[in-house]
Amino acid sequence: MQANLKPVHMQRPALLFLLLSFSLALFAQPSKNSSPLSIEQIMQGDAFVGHLPEDIRWSEDGRTVYFSWQRGQDSLRSPYKVEIADDQMLLPLTLEEQKALPEDGEYNADHTLKVYEKNGDLFLLELDAGQIQQLTNTVGEEESPRFSGDGSKVLYTFDNNLYAWDRASGATEQLTDFRKGSKKEEPPLPEYQQWLKEDQLQLFEVLRERKAEEEQRKARREALQPERPLEIYYGKKRLSGLQASPDLRFISFRLTADADAQNTMVPAFVTESGYIDEQRARPKVGSPWDSYEMGIYDRQRDTFYMVDAKNLEGIKAKPAFLYEYHTDTVPFNPEYDKPKPTVILGPVFSEGGQAAVVIRSLDNKDRWIANLNLGQGTLNQLDWQHDEAWIGGPGIVRWDFSTGTLGWLNEELLYYQSEATGFSHLYTVDVRTGEKRALTNGAFEVHDVQLSRDKRFFYLTASAEGPHEMHFYRLPVSGGQLEKITSLPGKHEVSLSPDERSLAVRYSYSNQPWELYLLENKPGAKMERLTESTTEAFNNYSWREPEIINFKARDGAKVPARLYRPENVRPGGPAVIFVHGAGYLQNVHKWWSSYYREYMFHNFLVDNGYTVLDIDYRGSAGYGRNWRTAIYRHMGGKDLDDQVDGAQYLAEELGVDPERIGIYGGSYGGFITLMGLFTSPGTFKAGAALRSVTDWAHYNHGYTSDILNTPVEDSLAYRRSSPIYFAEGLQDRLLILHGMVDDNVQFQDVVRLAQRLIELGKDNWEFAVFPVERHGFVEPSSWADEYKRIFRLFEEELK
């Protein structure tokens, strides 16, 4: 609901201007039915808004919902529970209940048993009886427990090896024997020593008899040894990803060779010891890559071999951007001499033992899905997705090296997600014929796919109602019409009960923070609210519901934005454009924003007479592949154009004074602020750049190389995308704010820019540093100081 707030019309006499600009209270004028806001208040974060429910999950019997929460006078966030069948009283878990509470884990095929790890030990839960059996109690860490295909054994990893605990006998078997380093072998004797040895044996019978006797003893000892797995030495590489086929015959593993990349260092100046503490951080983009191999250990044949990806389609193809750098004197070869480096993710096993894997090229321009022949280590390609920009989208690629959405419906059909149409949708592929079938389609994205226990339905979250809402749906595995379960506008984060009859829903709306609800799993059911998390102070203010609008960009694209406007606004007023961070993130939607402090600050700005525009510019999430990749090889191109065109929209369509428009944002938003001030002078009267990237060649590899390739291979992309090369264009006022222990966008970034501005003779900029803050600020005092400075900048330059 739109808040009924009156605009504040500021006067311009110098004395009043100074008093307002340098006021420490910085109170906004409230509406008739709300309390006043202050920057110090809203920058308290959760302490002001309330500590919202998180980490929702069900008990195994479906009678209790557990979640993380902090309410009232609680000093810490703690686990809570609500009993569904009783009076739904919310109770914190006692320490004993927390100790006994099972963790997430893996189930056997008939869903009667669950195995899980807690504090480095393994536990087995009988679901019907509710009885828990502790399987290990060690000072080491047993990890990744799961069941064998027939459910008779519990598999787990310990000290980089795979073990099996037999449920019937209680015996533990070591399935692998991976060893770091190299096998110690006796070096061959020098030629002269070997001749002497052989001569001695020929001369002396006693030596021949003793040697024969020792060889017999050795043969007997070896014959008496129990059967052990093959010793596999992996040198200096790192071992991970141990997975066993359902019949336990094949064990897959991944070897990683660490690249010799130089790490950055981040110094901390305010420390408990009083000494500077240097913290090791990430390498920079373009640094050498780690390399990856997948191997298979065949326990039946007692041998191992590596998986071969060299025959995948397009595995040698060069990216198109390289053509721009070739010369006529050297013909352009469209292929590399060797296959591109890849990483193989998975495998995901069917019940019958088939294995599916995802293969990603390390330049992230290709993703293959293949059937893995475990006995030969070969790949049968099922799907190839190529993108000259980069592979991405919900359910497709994640930074944690997971497969994304990938699973088996039966022994013939594999399901997965792809951006083949430009939007991430759900597909199946027949592994026998290669036939693919789209289960969903349209100009929307599919998220969070879950297969029902009976394998008759998919449960998924999707934006099928439009990009600004997220709902929970049911879909037959054969495809068809999406059946919408949730109904309220906003976003629904759903945890399905074990019997799939009920939903625990974390729901929010534009101006309503996340709360926990209960919903019957059927269309049209009414959600029942379980938590009340917001504070009295937060509830005393009438928070605005921002209007979602679309304005036309210079290239004809419709750009979505959130619009905040004072009531009865007069023509010629000031405005601020907010640029969200991360690049690939959505902030124009109908749910509680992850930028909730900025949302509250925008309410504060409106109370003080500002119009605020918050844009989902090109590169943002939620709008499909073309929107996501529109910034390829030029950050600060179309994404910046959207901000400049937004300023034009404010002036021409809403009557904002074009001489009184400011801009601010953090991280990627800080980068865009810098690019706006440096390359489009006069568009923004003032800008505040928070934790900003100033030179993309100094950012990390995973994010930056997707969009700009690498500095050595694509220097043009880095030059046209990095603010530091355009600093001479600064004419309007700039405020730079940065945490000194930021290990993401590091403090060095803005220090280098500061030196560049000094050398250019620029004097219309300021620099505020925050000694104890990383990329995401923590301390309310830092948040408040930062935003008081931003507000002061806008008051001085835009009013």
Side-chain angles (χ1 to χ4, degrees):
M1 182 177 291
Q2 181 70 34
N4 182 26
L5 299 176
K6 296 181 179 179
V8 178
H9 301 289
M10 307 303 300
Q11 304 298 317
R12 287 190 176 269
L15 179 59
L16 178 59
F17 182 77
L18 288 172
L19 287 173
L20 180 58
S21 297
F22 293 95
S23 166
L24 294 179
L26 296 176
F27 278 104
Q29 192 68 33
S31 70
K32 183 183 299 182
N33 297 319
S34 61
S35 299
L37 289 176
S38 74
I39 288 180
E40 290 90 345
Q41 186 181 37
I42 59 180
M43 293 303 153
Q44 291 290 319
D46 290 345
F48 172 65
V49 175
H51 297 271
L52 311 180
E54 298 175 353
D55 302 327
I56 317 299
R57 60 190 178 108
W58 289 84
S59 63
E60 298 298 337
D61 60 10
R63 299 175 182 174
T64 306
V65 174
Y66 299 103
F67 58 100
S68 171
W69 203 33
Q70 182 177 341
R71 69 171 179 177
Q73 301 303 313
D74 291 354
S75 58
L76 294 173
R77 178 176 285 274
S78 302
Y80 271 75
K81 66 178 180 180
V82 53
E83 303 288 346
I84 301 304
D86 295 335
D87 56 4
Q88 298 184 355
M89 182 177 294
L90 306 175
L91 296 172
L93 269 65
T94 66
L95 288 177
E96 291 304 315
E97 287 176 318
Q98 292 182 48
K99 290 179 181 179
L101 184 65
E103 301 289 344
D104 291 335
E106 297 290 330
Y107 299 91
N108 63 350
D110 59 8
H111 218 83
T112 58
L113 297 171
K114 174 182 175 179
V115 63
Y116 62 93
E117 177 267 329
K118 189 168 186 173
N119 299 323
D121 291 316
L122 304 183
F123 297 82
L124 184 67
L125 171 63
E126 295 184 41
L127 299 181
D128 289 341
Q131 295 180 347
I132 297 174
Q133 179 183 1
Q134 184 166 355
L135 306 183
T136 65
N137 186 357
T138 68
V139 294
E141 290 193 6
E142 294 82 28
E143 300 174 311
S144 305
R146 59 268 195 200
F147 288 95
S148 59
D150 61 7
S152 65
K153 294 179 174 63
V154 171
L155 313 180
Y156 63 94
T157 57
F158 175 76
D159 197 24
N160 276 344
N161 275 295
L162 191 64
Y163 294 80
W165 175 78
D166 190 285
R167 289 177 47 215
S169 67
T172 298
E173 179 185 7
Q174 184 170 341
L175 303 182
T176 63
D177 189 6
F178 288 102
R179 302 187 179 195
K180 196 170 184 64
S182 300
K183 186 174 184 178
K184 294 181 179 180
E185 296 180 340
E186 289 294 330
L189 292 174
E191 187 176 6
Y192 76 95
Q193 291 185 10
Q194 183 65 32
W195 184 90
L196 288 175
K197 180 177 180 180
E198 292 173 358
D199 189 58
Q200 290 291 92
L201 290 172
Q202 289 179 3
L203 284 173
F204 301 106
E205 183 178 0
V206 64
L207 295 180
R208 293 194 299 271
E209 290 175 349
R210 289 177 180 178
K211 184 175 187 296
E213 186 177 336
E214 178 56 33
E215 288 175 349
Q216 289 178 356
R217 289 196 192 96
K218 181 180 179 183
R220 181 184 296 175
R221 286 197 305 269
E222 291 177 352
L224 292 173
Q225 287 294 316
E227 186 176 337
R228 302 292 192 193
L230 177 69
E231 295 177 2
I232 301 176
Y233 290 85
Y234 55 94
K236 296 181 179 179
K237 298 176 181 179
R238 285 186 286 116
L239 176 73
S240 63
L242 293 176
Q243 296 280 355
S245 60
D247 62 2
L248 305 188
R249 173 178 171 178
F250 299 102
I251 311 292
S252 65
F253 57 93
R254 182 186 304 134
L255 296 179
T256 303
D258 293 326
D260 185 19
Q262 181 176 346
N263 288 84
T264 54
M265 302 299 292
V266 176
F269 293 90
V270 180
T271 63
E272 186 175 334
S273 69
Y275 291 89
I276 293 176
D277 180 16
E278 281 201 323
Q279 303 165 11
R280 189 168 181 248
R282 56 164 175 80
K284 297 186 179 185
V285 62
S287 299
W289 299 343
D290 293 346
S291 60
Y292 306 92
E293 301 171 274
M294 173 176 277
I296 298 172
Y297 169 42
D298 184 341
R299 297 179 63 235
Q300 182 173 301
R301 293 186 290 163
D302 204 30
T303 187
F304 75 97
Y305 36 90
M306 309 311 290
V307 177
D308 187 358
K310 67 182 179 183
N311 293 322
L312 292 171
E313 186 178 1
I315 191 68
K316 291 184 178 181
K318 290 180 180 178
F321 79 88
L322 289 176
Y323 184 81
E324 188 172 337
Y325 292 92
H326 95 288
T327 62
D328 293 335
T329 57
V330 180
F332 182 73
N333 185 349
E335 289 195 340
Y336 294 110
D337 294 334
K338 298 179 179 180
K340 292 194 289 187
T342 60
V343 59
I344 303 177
L345 309 173
V348 175
F349 292 105
S350 69
E351 291 181 2
Q354 293 194 78
V357 294
V358 168
I359 307 99
R360 279 177 49 190
S361 62
L362 294 190
D363 64 6
N364 208 18
K365 297 183 187 298
D366 299 276
R367 183 205 67 170
W368 299 267
I369 296 175
N371 212 342
L372 171 60
N373 185 318
L374 294 166
Q376 299 177 8
T378 56
L379 298 170
N380 175 32
Q381 181 179 309
L382 300 171
D383 182 71
W384 175 35
Q385 184 179 336
H386 174 77
D387 198 313
E388 282 296 340
W390 72 95
I391 300 293
I396 297 172
V397 170
R398 283 171 44 178
W399 291 352
D400 63 358
F401 274 18
S402 76
T403 61
T405 298
L406 186 69
W408 294 88
L409 286 178
N410 48 49
E411 295 304 311
E412 291 83 35
L413 291 177
L414 187 71
Y415 66 89
Y416 65 99
Q417 282 184 253
S418 171
E419 269 191 329
T421 64
F423 291 85
S424 181
H425 281 291
L426 186 60
Y427 293 79
T428 59
V429 59
D430 190 312
V431 298
R432 302 164 302 173
T433 66
E435 181 184 358
K436 300 168 191 172
R437 184 163 181 257
L439 302 184
T440 61
N441 63 82
F444 66 91
E445 295 182 322
V446 171
H447 300 251
D448 303 328
V449 176
Q450 179 180 347
L451 186 62
S452 66
R453 282 176 53 185
D454 60 11
K455 294 190 175 184
R456 294 176 54 222
F457 298 97
F458 287 109
Y459 291 105
L460 50 90
T461 304
S463 56
E465 306 299 309
H468 311 304
E469 296 185 26
M470 205 71 73
H471 286 276
F472 187 71
Y473 298 87
R474 181 165 48 212
L475 175 72
V477 295
S478 58
Q481 188 70 30
L482 284 171
E483 184 180 32
K484 189 170 77 165
I485 305 299
T486 55
S487 57
L488 293 179
K491 184 175 183 179
H492 305 76
E493 297 179 353
V494 173
S495 176
L496 195 60
S497 66
D499 61 8
E500 300 181 359
R501 295 180 180 178
S502 300
L503 311 177
V505 183
R506 205 173 84 108
Y507 167 78
S508 73
Y509 189 60
S510 304
N511 57 356
Q512 300 169 17
W514 298 99
E515 297 288 2
L516 178 59
Y517 294 78
L518 189 65
L519 177 66
E520 192 176 354
N521 188 12
K522 67 178 184 179
K526 184 178 179 180
M527 288 203 305
E528 182 180 359
R529 184 167 171 173
L530 300 178
T531 59
E532 298 279 349
S533 305
T534 51
T535 66
E536 182 179 357
F538 178 86
N539 295 335
N540 283 338
Y541 184 84
S542 298
W543 299 100
R544 293 170 176 81
E545 177 187 340
E547 179 185 359
I548 294 181
I549 59 98
N550 290 276
F551 64 86
K552 190 175 182 180
R554 65 191 68 186
D555 62 356
K558 292 183 178 180
V559 182
R562 275 182 161 191
L563 177 64
Y564 303 74
R565 298 190 75 191
E567 290 186 357
N568 305 316
V569 62
R570 296 177 183 176
V576 170
I577 290 179
F578 169 65
V579 191
H580 69 68
Y584 189 60
L585 178 145
Q586 184 179 6
N587 204 45
V588 177
H589 49 61
K590 294 183 179 179
W591 58 86
W592 187 245
S593 175
S594 58
Y595 285 93
Y596 70 95
R597 287 183 179 86
E598 289 78 358
Y599 164 79
M600 295 189 291
F601 182 60
H602 297 161
N603 277 265
F604 175 87
L605 288 175
V606 173
D607 286 346
N608 280 277
Y610 292 84
T611 295
V612 179
L613 192 66
D614 172 3
I615 302 170
D616 268 352
Y617 49 86
R618 246 67 71 92
S620 297
Y623 307 94
R625 181 265 173 197
N626 290 343
W627 201 264
R628 170 175 59 82
T629 62
I631 60 173
Y632 178 57
R633 299 190 70 213
H634 192 185
M635 292 192 277
K638 289 185 178 181
D639 46 0
L640 176 58
D641 289 345
D642 291 343
Q643 317 301 324
V644 176
D645 294 344
Q648 183 177 353
Y649 163 79
L650 288 170
E652 295 181 357
E653 301 295 329
L654 301 185
V656 166
D657 185 345
E659 301 295 324
R660 300 169 68 189
I661 299 176
I663 186 170
Y664 88 103
S667 196
Y668 198 97
F671 150 72
I672 286 290
T673 298
L674 293 175
M675 288 294 273
L677 292 178
F678 293 171
T679 67
S680 186
T683 301
F684 306 105
K685 185 71 173 177
L690 295 67
R691 49 195 180 275
S692 316
V693 175
T694 70
D695 187 344
W696 287 107
H698 291 259
Y699 195 50
N700 70 29
H701 185 85
Y703 178 90
T704 318
S705 64
D706 278 358
I707 305 171
L708 299 180
N709 304 305
T710 66
V712 171
E713 289 186 310
D714 202 357
S715 58
L716 294 175
Y718 281 81
R719 283 292 180 120
R720 61 176 166 243
S721 300
S722 296
I724 199 167
Y725 296 108
F726 302 95
E728 68 274 7
L730 178 62
Q731 297 179 14
D732 304 290
R733 189 171 165 193
L734 168 63
L735 173 61
I736 301 171
L737 310 105
H738 213 103
M740 293 181 71
V741 289
D742 190 335
D743 54 5
N744 182 12
V745 180
Q746 296 174 1
F747 189 58
Q748 182 192 25
D749 251 47
V750 289
V751 172
R752 293 176 69 248
L753 178 62
Q755 180 61 28
R756 179 72 178 141
L757 292 171
I758 291 168
E759 292 181 3
L760 289 169
K762 301 294 183 180
D763 57 9
N764 53 340
W765 61 282
E766 301 168 65
F767 197 176
V769 302
F770 298 86
V772 300
E773 297 295 354
R774 299 185 182 275
H775 195 63
F777 281 20
V778 174
E779 299 300 328
S781 57
S782 299
W783 278 103
D785 183 272
E786 182 178 47
Y787 275 80
K788 285 192 292 184
R789 292 175 188 274
I790 296 169
F791 182 61
R792 185 179 300 136
L793 171 73
F794 292 153
E795 287 289 280
E796 292 175 355
E797 296 297 326
L798 307 183
K799 282 299 188 76

